[in-house]
Amino acid sequence: MARNLISKYVWIIDTIKRYKRITREELNRLWLDSSVSDGEPMARRTFYNYRNGIADTFSIDIVCDKSTYEYYISQDDSESNKQLQEWLLNSMSISGVLSGSHDMSDRILLEDVPSSRGNLPVVIDAMRQNKRIAFTYRNYSRVNPSHGVEVNPYFVKIFDQRWYVIGLNVADNRIKTYSLDRISDLSITAHTFAMPAGFSPQDFFDDCFGITTNHDEPKDIAIKADVTQAKYLRGLPLHHSQREELHDTYSIFTYRMRNTYDLMQKLLSLGPSIEVLRPKEMRVQLADNLRRALAHYDP
């Protein structure tokens, strides 16, 4: 799809979201003042075509209130759908900005997510058809790769520059997580599957930070952060359960989470700017990790 068409879709969505409700005449007036219009008005038929394109591309419905002739965006109650829409809009908005900035390419540095290039479209296609995937997997903790792995792909998730597929490992009859950049020889099989009744991808990692999980019960976690680190945690919360107790020279952040590998690695990366206050076993675990790390630097 043409880049400028996506830019027009995104502009229409952003404008209607900003104004909440707007007539087509008001929208057209703003359109003429924008850079995406090229000075051309948006005809009625064109607007209707754009509405259909937006619905097909983003699953966003632009609805007309017949009593006021105002247009607004119909709200979807699905949290996962909202997140996907926001991710698509943000990605395409940024893509539009970057693609029009070739003259600044040496001054725009991006993070690479290599696993999305080849494997992600195949996995999503398999999910769409509810078909099993087969692949070879290179587990970093093992010497040799595992061949002929078969998985019912339930959902995908991105974390820390990597895409992951989460699904039922057929041989083990367990839900497992696989990093797409460690998958090779990926194919879609003829075997179909059905999502388990009541299974929610949104809930699967609900009590976790990152992509790792376990069978432990969620615990109340409290972290003391200095003033500077508190600003970072405030701006980008570790978890949706985050709550802050503000003090003059520090903040205490509380969470309800499981103690997972990814959470531990994140807390270790924050170094002396934070202190875990509770639970006690997490303090002990962190202290042990720090002591073993420090031992590498003993004279």
Side-chain angles (χ1 to χ4, degrees):
M1 185 176 292
R3 172 177 57 84
N4 63 336
L5 186 56
I6 287 293
S7 299
K8 291 173 181 178
Y9 288 174
V10 171
W11 182 91
I12 291 170
I13 295 168
D14 285 344
T15 302
I16 295 177
K17 277 190 171 184
R18 188 166 66 252
Y19 282 82
K20 310 295 185 186
R21 300 171 72 92
I22 190 171
T23 65
R24 196 177 66 82
E25 290 73 19
E26 291 171 326
L27 185 66
N28 194 43
R29 178 176 55 80
L30 295 168
W31 169 268
L32 285 170
D33 290 335
S34 72
S35 61
V36 296
S37 70
D38 297 322
E40 296 291 330
M42 181 166 42
R44 183 187 297 271
R45 181 183 294 274
T46 302
F47 174 59
Y48 291 154
N49 288 337
Y50 288 168
R51 285 175 66 192
N52 292 333
I54 288 169
D56 290 340
T57 305
F58 298 106
S59 297
I60 292 177
D61 293 322
I62 298 175
V63 182
C64 180
D65 185 337
K66 296 297 180 63
S67 64
T68 62
Y69 296 102
E70 293 175 321
Y71 290 89
Y72 62 94
I73 291 177
S74 177
Q75 297 298 318
D76 189 326
D77 292 333
S78 168
E79 185 62 31
S80 59
N81 194 54
K82 290 179 184 177
Q83 291 179 352
L84 179 58
Q85 288 174 0
E86 287 299 319
W87 185 80
L88 284 170
L89 284 169
N90 288 337
S91 297
M92 290 187 176
S93 295
I94 292 169
S95 177
V97 170
L98 295 178
S99 59
S101 304
H102 296 296
D103 57 327
M104 302 289 289
S105 60
D106 61 334
R107 297 170 62 184
I108 301 174
L109 306 181
L110 304 174
E111 290 188 335
D112 192 18
V113 187
S115 59
S116 65
R117 293 184 187 134
N119 290 334
L120 183 60
V122 178
V123 172
I124 291 178
D125 192 27
M127 289 165 53
R128 184 177 290 113
Q129 301 178 62
N130 279 341
K131 285 189 174 180
R132 186 178 301 167
I133 55 176
F135 52 86
T136 297
Y137 194 68
R138 292 178 292 108
N139 192 318
Y140 288 160
S141 63
R142 297 177 182 174
V143 175
N144 298 316
S146 300
H147 300 280
V149 180
E150 294 194 11
V151 170
N152 295 341
Y154 289 168
F155 65 102
V156 293
K157 178 181 172 69
I158 190 170
F159 175 69
D160 200 20
Q161 292 181 253
R162 285 187 171 92
W163 278 99
Y164 297 84
V165 57
I166 297 89
L168 181 73
N169 181 294
V170 177
D172 295 343
N173 196 32
R174 288 175 51 203
I175 296 177
K176 293 186 175 182
T177 300
Y178 298 91
S179 177
L180 295 194
D181 62 346
R182 292 173 235 166
I183 286 177
S184 59
D185 306 320
L186 175 64
S187 64
I188 301 176
T189 74
H191 297 282
T192 60
F193 70 93
M195 291 287 286
F199 180 84
S200 168
Q202 191 71 28
D203 293 342
F204 190 79
F205 289 110
D206 189 59
D207 299 320
C208 304
F209 171 84
I211 202 69
T212 56
T213 185
N214 54 43
H215 298 293
D216 295 346
E217 287 296 318
K219 297 182 181 295
D220 291 322
I221 299 170
I223 297 171
K224 181 180 178 181
D226 63 29
V227 173
T228 301
Q229 186 59 55
K231 294 176 182 177
Y232 284 102
L233 292 174
R234 198 176 300 132
L236 188 61
L238 288 181
H239 190 253
H240 63 79
S241 65
Q242 177 172 297
R243 300 292 182 270
E244 181 181 5
E245 180 184 307
L246 191 62
H247 297 266
D248 290 339
T249 57
Y250 63 91
S251 285
I252 295 177
F253 293 91
T254 56
Y255 306 88
R256 182 70 178 173
M257 283 192 287
R258 299 181 192 183
N259 182 5
T260 63
Y261 173 82
D262 284 339
L263 177 59
M264 188 61 58
Q265 293 302 111
K266 178 62 178 179
L267 296 178
L268 285 167
S269 74
L270 298 180
S273 66
I274 64 109
E275 176 192 356
V276 172
L277 302 178
R278 61 178 186 273
K280 183 178 179 180
E281 59 268 27
M282 184 177 284
R283 284 178 59 90
V284 172
Q285 188 179 354
L286 274 168
D288 181 60
N289 275 279
L290 291 169
R291 275 191 293 268
R292 286 190 284 119
L294 186 60
H296 292 304
Y297 303 94
D298 285 343

